Amino acid sequence: MKNLEEKAEKFNYSDLNERSREILLGIVEGYFGTASPVGSKFIAENSKLNLSSASIRNIMALLEEAGYIFQPHFSAGRIPTAKGYKFYVDSLMKTEKISLKEKENIEIRLSSSNRDLNGILNQVSILLSDLSHYAGVVLAPDMSEANLLHIEFIRIKEKNILAIIVFANGITENKSFYITKDIKQNELTRYSNKLNEIIERKNCSLDDLKEIITEEMHSDKEIFSSILNKEIFSSIGNVSGYRDYEHYDNCLYVGPEGDLIEEPEFSNNEQIKFLIKTISDKKNIIKLLGHTKNSKTKQIFIGSEEEWSEISGLSLITAPYISEANMLRGSIGIIGPLRMNYSHVIPIIDFVSEFLSGII
Amino acid sequence: MKNLEEKAEKFNYSDLNERSREILLGIVEGYFGTASPVGSKFIAENSKLNLSSASIRNIMALLEEAGYIFQPHFSAGRIPTAKGYKFYVDSLMKTEKISLKEKENIEIRLSSSNRDLNGILNQVSILLSDLSHYAGVVLAPDMSEANLLHIEFIRIKEKNILAIIVFANGITENKSFYITKDIKQNELTRYSNKLNEIIERKNCSLDDLKEIITEEMHSDKEIFSSILNKEIFSSIGNVSGYRDYEHYDNCLYVGPEGDLIEEPEFSNNEQIKFLIKTISDKKNIIKLLGHTKNSKTKQIFIGSEEEWSEISGLSLITAPYISEANMLRGSIGIIGPLRMNYSHVIPIIDFVSEFLSGII
DNA sequence: AATTAGCACTCTGTATGTTTAAGTGCTAAT
DNA sequence: ATTAGCACTTAAACATACAGAGTGCTAATT
């Protein structure tokens, strides 16, 4: 059938014609509804197109040849491929508007008085799960560039110091560490007073502070020539575990996946196990969310054998959140089946990422 | 068969005779190994008892009548009931000793320099999962009775204050809140200096501090008659979310359940869903861990239809951890199948709870 | 009196064959 | 260019047969 191949070759992103688009849309949305393969008869009866099932079949053969849909077995209907979903999301889908009720829900749940970073991000992951009925995930921001408000050192016991770092947005980080020589509390206090004075004067980030101190060391030798600088600052230098993948438990928040396992694609035992393992393996999800954190726009990862195989059979919708004032960057996402309700989930992701950007 | 009933009636905890004990042990351990019902022939061949399968069958009928074992269907072997497991754990089991390698592993992984409570408890939950190959859970302690080391108030913005509370063990809590009238930073500093002076003098807990302030208010009106006391103290009064079940996300840490779903009891789809939902529903687990937190000893919850039905089909082994010095109390646990490797898991729970008691 | 060999019986799981329903691709007619 | 019609393919549902595991009971044995 050379003819078929030739025709199919023309089916790329730019020039799927109106009829093919309509049929692909019918297959994707039909599959969303029933979770089972969509046949030509169904399309013939349910689409605007006034065509017989036989004509639909001809076009379906083309769409299959071009890689947008496939048959699980010979006499079954069609299911969208990753390419098919992608085309749907990019060109066919009409996103719903987020409802006022949902908006209010989000605002109420994220306006708690708690300003602890852990608490907020954890809450967001749960919120995303609740709203989408899939699994919400949140990647914590790297705080090293955020503006500081206050630093405090407290002597816990001999040679053991606790650093409390408060950022301008009210978010705090604690870090305890050991030094080689004991320092009394009042000396620590003098040191932190000095740092706070610099912070107030210069309105700077942790990274900035490091540089400034190196300069000022010369002018105020009494305080800055001690072991304080070297040891303390190398310890508090890497707050917010994100940089080291060793401690990746601290930088990814995963909401409950309870509703997700009820989806029909997870009625098979192997698939449910793959789902659980995929969600448990934070490394992969961090990697994908990392992509988005460093980009500036929403991204959609559709897992297939060829691309994003680490989430093969699953879809991950992500968006970055950015606090301009503090240079904070992180990302949020929702993990669901390929057959995800994209038009509902995407506005949620958009709104939450925007709202989160505002409050951190 | 009146005879059977009469004999079975005598089978209670105290007087299972040697032979019955041996057979029950054989069934429990046989079932541990194969995950499928154990028949009389298997016992006849694998136990010390030199009896024919027919004799074994007679006793099995008694054990069944007494409720220690049951048959999933007429011509199947026997499976222990919850009562059977309980008897095994209480009277038949010989616990293994924890290996030196495991001990070292635990010590290394819990000796990180990070003194953040979240970090430690999260790490423990993961550690328990890793060691047991089931799901580790950790209930956070209620900090209201722990001795204080330091309190600090920082003005974030107008009418918005951040309280940093450092406990004597180096664990910190942060809480941001709003007050009705703005207070300048230097007044806040004076106030916290006063509190820290009391803390140093009296070596007290947050609850104690509340009382002391009420007394001292009269002697130092300038500081203590302000709105500081009423508003600030009512805000920092309830640290550590444990008391309010609303925020139960903050007080339970659940380790990865990845290995657990590979157990043969979860090959059925409904069971795997029940497992995921049970583990996701933190409320129930908090309730059970709460039992142990307030008791002083290890506890084993064996979920059946009648008892602990919230974890029906699962087993939860728990132990409290207690820091005598700070009056801190919490509990840890491992969730697994009924057919759990109790003799291996129990020493792990014991060691980890003891070690954790030592470091917090 | 306790134990056991032997046997009929029950139930599950697997293999096998049959039927039904859904859906296709192709050809010939419109 | 479209469609009606048809032969073909496959999965799923159902029925049947059968082997295997394990039981309870009875009669024989120790």
Side-chain angles (χ1 to χ4, degrees):
Chain A
M1 304 294 107
K2 203 167 183 184
N3 198 5
L4 182 69
E5 277 178 38
E6 273 173 27
K7 279 192 183 175
E9 227 164 85
K10 295 201 175 171
F11 271 32
N12 55 41
Y13 269 37
S14 56
D15 68 353
L16 269 191
N17 61 32
E18 191 50 38
R19 181 174 292 182
S20 324
R21 294 166 67 98
E22 189 64 35
I23 289 174
L24 181 54
L25 180 67
I27 292 171
V28 174
E29 295 194 335
Y31 188 59
F32 283 173
T34 63
S36 52
V38 179
S40 55
K41 203 179 156 204
F42 179 90
I43 300 288
E45 287 165 0
N46 290 76
S47 87
K48 293 180 236 165
L49 263 29
N50 259 338
L51 288 174
S52 74
S53 63
S55 306
I56 307 277
R57 281 202 288 282
N58 288 331
I59 300 178
M60 282 165 103
L62 288 177
L63 283 169
E64 178 157 13
E65 185 72 21
Y68 294 99
I69 54 178
F70 77 102
Q71 287 180 288
H73 59 86
F74 181 81
S75 67
R78 266 36 179 239
I79 294 175
T81 59
K83 184 176 176 185
Y85 284 117
K86 206 172 280 177
F87 187 80
Y88 167 78
V89 170
D90 290 343
S91 311
L92 302 176
M93 177 183 66
K94 293 185 192 90
T95 54
E96 300 169 13
K97 267 199 174 172
I98 190 165
S99 79
L100 200 70
K101 209 175 148 194
E102 279 176 319
K103 263 191 191 172
E104 275 176 12
N105 190 1
I106 294 169
E107 282 167 14
I108 290 169
R109 287 179 59 177
L110 293 187
S111 301
S112 123
S113 70
N114 191 349
R115 295 296 301 166
D116 176 54
L117 183 61
N118 285 326
I120 295 171
L121 299 183
N122 193 29
Q123 188 60 34
V124 171
S125 74
I126 295 166
L127 178 69
L128 287 172
S129 287
D130 286 355
L131 291 171
S132 67
H133 304 293
Y134 304 126
V137 289
V138 175
L139 185 68
D142 181 345
M143 301 295 283
S144 59
E145 294 187 350
N147 277 350
L148 293 167
L149 179 65
H150 194 93
I151 285 191
E152 191 80 27
F153 297 105
I154 294 162
R155 180 182 175 282
I156 295 172
K157 55 176 192 270
E158 202 185 332
K159 295 181 187 173
N160 186 3
I161 292 174
L162 177 77
I164 296 168
I165 302 158
V166 185
F167 295 92
N169 50 6
I171 286 167
T172 60
E173 289 274 349
N174 309 312
K175 182 126 189 169
S176 140
F177 52 89
Y178 287 84
I179 50 178
T180 52
K181 190 179 147 241
D182 195 37
I183 301 178
K184 292 227 175 87
Q185 178 63 53
N186 58 3
E187 196 177 346
L188 280 174
T189 307
R190 259 178 61 218
Y191 184 63
S192 52
N193 284 346
K194 181 74 189 169
L195 292 184
N196 285 324
E197 185 201 301
I198 298 173
I199 288 168
E200 201 171 337
R201 204 171 65 219
K202 304 257 182 168
N203 199 23
C204 59
S205 74
L206 208 49
D207 281 351
D208 298 338
L209 190 59
K210 261 189 191 171
E211 279 183 39
I212 295 169
I213 287 175
T214 321
E215 288 165 21
E216 301 211 357
M217 270 176 71
H218 310 291
S219 61
D220 198 344
K221 278 198 177 162
E222 192 211 346
I223 287 182
F224 288 112
S225 64
S226 69
I227 59 165
L228 283 166
N229 276 312
K230 274 183 207 155
E231 298 198 2
I232 291 183
F233 234 81
S234 77
S235 296
I236 64 169
N238 55 346
V239 286
S240 201
Y242 180 63
R243 286 177 179 173
D244 48 346
Y245 271 66
E246 297 276 318
H247 298 97
Y248 53 78
D249 303 305
N250 299 322
C251 73
L252 186 71
Y253 300 81
V254 181
E257 69 250 59
D259 290 345
L260 189 47
I261 57 176
E262 296 292 350
E263 295 288 332
E265 23 272 283
F266 305 116
S267 57
N268 174 304
N269 207 259
E270 285 309 309
Q271 290 163 323
I272 211 169
K273 282 184 187 172
F274 180 77
L275 170 70
I276 300 296
K277 284 185 182 163
T278 305
I279 292 182
S280 303
D281 185 5
K282 299 189 169 183
K283 235 173 210 164
N284 281 331
I285 297 175
I286 289 172
K287 204 182 85 190
L288 295 177
L289 284 176
H291 280 275
T292 301
K293 167 179 165 277
N294 295 320
S295 86
K296 283 185 186 171
T297 57
K298 176 173 59 200
Q299 279 183 290
I300 297 178
F301 300 96
I302 292 174
S304 66
E305 304 269 310
E306 299 84 34
E307 213 184 3
W308 313 123
S309 61
E310 53 270 55
I311 55 164
S312 170
L314 298 171
S315 227
L316 169 61
I317 301 186
T318 61
Y321 58 87
I322 302 163
S323 164
E324 294 293 343
N326 309 300
M327 304 281 290
L328 283 182
R329 307 174 65 84
S331 53
I332 62 175
I334 289 174
I335 298 175
L338 289 180
R339 198 180 56 80
M340 197 193 281
N341 188 343
Y342 296 94
S343 57
H344 181 227
V345 167
I346 288 175
I348 291 175
I349 280 276
D350 283 340
F351 185 78
V352 173
S353 79
E354 197 183 324
F355 195 86
L356 184 58
S357 297
I359 62 171
I360 61 167
Chain B
M1 301 293 107
K2 203 168 186 183
N3 199 5
L4 182 69
E5 278 181 37
E6 275 172 25
K7 280 192 182 174
E9 228 164 87
K10 294 201 175 173
F11 270 32
N12 54 41
Y13 268 39
S14 55
D15 68 353
L16 270 191
N17 62 30
E18 191 50 37
R19 179 173 294 183
S20 325
R21 294 166 67 97
E22 189 63 36
I23 288 173
L24 182 54
L25 181 66
I27 292 171
V28 175
E29 295 193 335
Y31 188 58
F32 283 173
T34 63
S36 52
V38 179
S40 56
K41 202 177 156 206
F42 179 90
I43 300 290
E45 285 165 1
N46 291 75
S47 87
K48 294 180 236 168
L49 264 28
N50 260 340
L51 288 174
S52 73
S53 63
S55 307
I56 307 276
R57 280 202 288 282
N58 289 331
I59 298 176
M60 281 166 104
L62 289 177
L63 282 169
E64 178 157 13
E65 185 72 20
Y68 293 99
I69 54 178
F70 76 103
Q71 287 181 288
H73 59 83
F74 181 80
S75 68
R78 262 50 175 229
I79 294 174
T81 60
K83 185 177 176 183
Y85 283 118
K86 206 173 280 177
F87 187 82
Y88 167 78
V89 170
D90 291 343
S91 311
L92 302 176
M93 177 183 66
K94 294 184 192 91
T95 55
E96 297 168 15
K97 268 198 173 172
I98 190 165
S99 80
L100 199 69
K101 209 175 148 194
E102 279 175 320
K103 263 189 191 171
E104 274 175 12
N105 190 0
I106 294 169
E107 282 166 14
I108 290 170
R109 288 179 58 176
L110 295 188
S111 303
S112 125
S113 69
N114 191 350
R115 295 296 300 164
D116 176 54
L117 184 60
N118 286 326
I120 295 171
L121 299 183
N122 193 28
Q123 189 60 35
V124 171
S125 73
I126 295 166
L127 178 70
L128 288 172
S129 287
D130 285 355
L131 290 171
S132 67
H133 302 293
Y134 303 127
V137 288
V138 175
L139 185 68
D142 181 344
M143 301 294 283
S144 59
E145 293 187 350
N147 277 350
L148 293 167
L149 178 66
H150 194 90
I151 285 188
E152 191 80 26
F153 296 105
I154 294 162
R155 181 182 174 284
I156 296 172
K157 56 174 191 271
E158 201 185 332
K159 296 182 187 173
N160 185 4
I161 292 174
L162 177 77
I164 296 168
I165 302 158
V166 186
F167 295 93
N169 50 8
I171 286 168
T172 60
E173 289 274 349
N174 309 312
K175 182 127 189 167
S176 141
F177 52 89
Y178 286 85
I179 51 177
T180 51
K181 194 182 144 233
D182 195 36
I183 301 177
K184 292 226 173 88
Q185 178 64 53
N186 58 3
E187 196 177 347
L188 281 174
T189 308
R190 262 177 62 216
Y191 182 62
S192 53
N193 284 346
K194 180 76 190 168
L195 293 184
N196 285 324
E197 184 203 302
I198 297 173
I199 289 168
E200 201 172 335
R201 204 169 66 218
K202 304 257 181 167
N203 199 23
C204 59
S205 74
L206 207 50
D207 281 352
D208 300 338
L209 189 60
K210 259 188 193 171
E211 280 183 37
I212 295 169
I213 287 175
T214 322
E215 288 165 23
E216 300 211 359
M217 269 177 72
H218 308 292
S219 61
D220 198 343
K221 279 198 176 162
E222 192 211 347
I223 287 183
F224 287 112
S225 64
S226 70
I227 60 164
L228 284 165
N229 275 312
K230 275 184 207 153
E231 298 198 5
I232 292 183
F233 232 82
S234 75
S235 295
I236 65 168
N238 54 346
V239 285
S240 202
Y242 182 64
R243 284 177 179 175
D244 49 345
Y245 270 67
E246 297 277 317
H247 297 97
Y248 52 79
D249 303 304
N250 299 322
C251 72
L252 186 70
Y253 300 81
V254 180
E257 70 252 60
D259 291 345
L260 188 47
I261 57 176
E262 297 291 351
E263 295 288 331
E265 24 273 282
F266 305 116
S267 57
N268 174 305
N269 205 258
E270 285 309 309
Q271 290 163 325
I272 210 170
K273 283 185 187 173
F274 181 78
L275 169 71
I276 300 297
K277 283 187 182 163
T278 305
I279 292 182
S280 303
D281 185 5
K282 299 189 167 182
K283 235 172 209 164
N284 281 329
I285 298 174
I286 289 172
K287 204 181 85 190
L288 296 178
L289 284 176
H291 281 276
T292 301
K293 167 179 165 274
N294 295 320
S295 86
K296 284 185 186 170
T297 58
K298 177 174 56 200
Q299 280 184 289
I300 298 176
F301 300 96
I302 292 174
S304 65
E305 304 269 311
E306 299 83 34
E307 214 183 4
W308 314 123
S309 61
E310 53 270 54
I311 55 163
S312 170
L314 297 171
S315 229
L316 170 61
I317 302 186
T318 62
Y321 60 86
I322 302 164
S323 164
E324 294 292 344
N326 309 301
M327 305 280 289
L328 282 184
R329 308 174 63 83
S331 52
I332 62 175
I334 289 174
I335 298 175
L338 290 180
R339 198 180 57 79
M340 197 193 282
N341 188 342
Y342 295 94
S343 57
H344 181 226
V345 167
I346 288 174
I348 291 175
I349 280 277
D350 283 342
F351 186 78
V352 173
S353 79
E354 200 183 323
F355 194 85
L356 185 57
S357 297
I359 61 170
I360 62 167

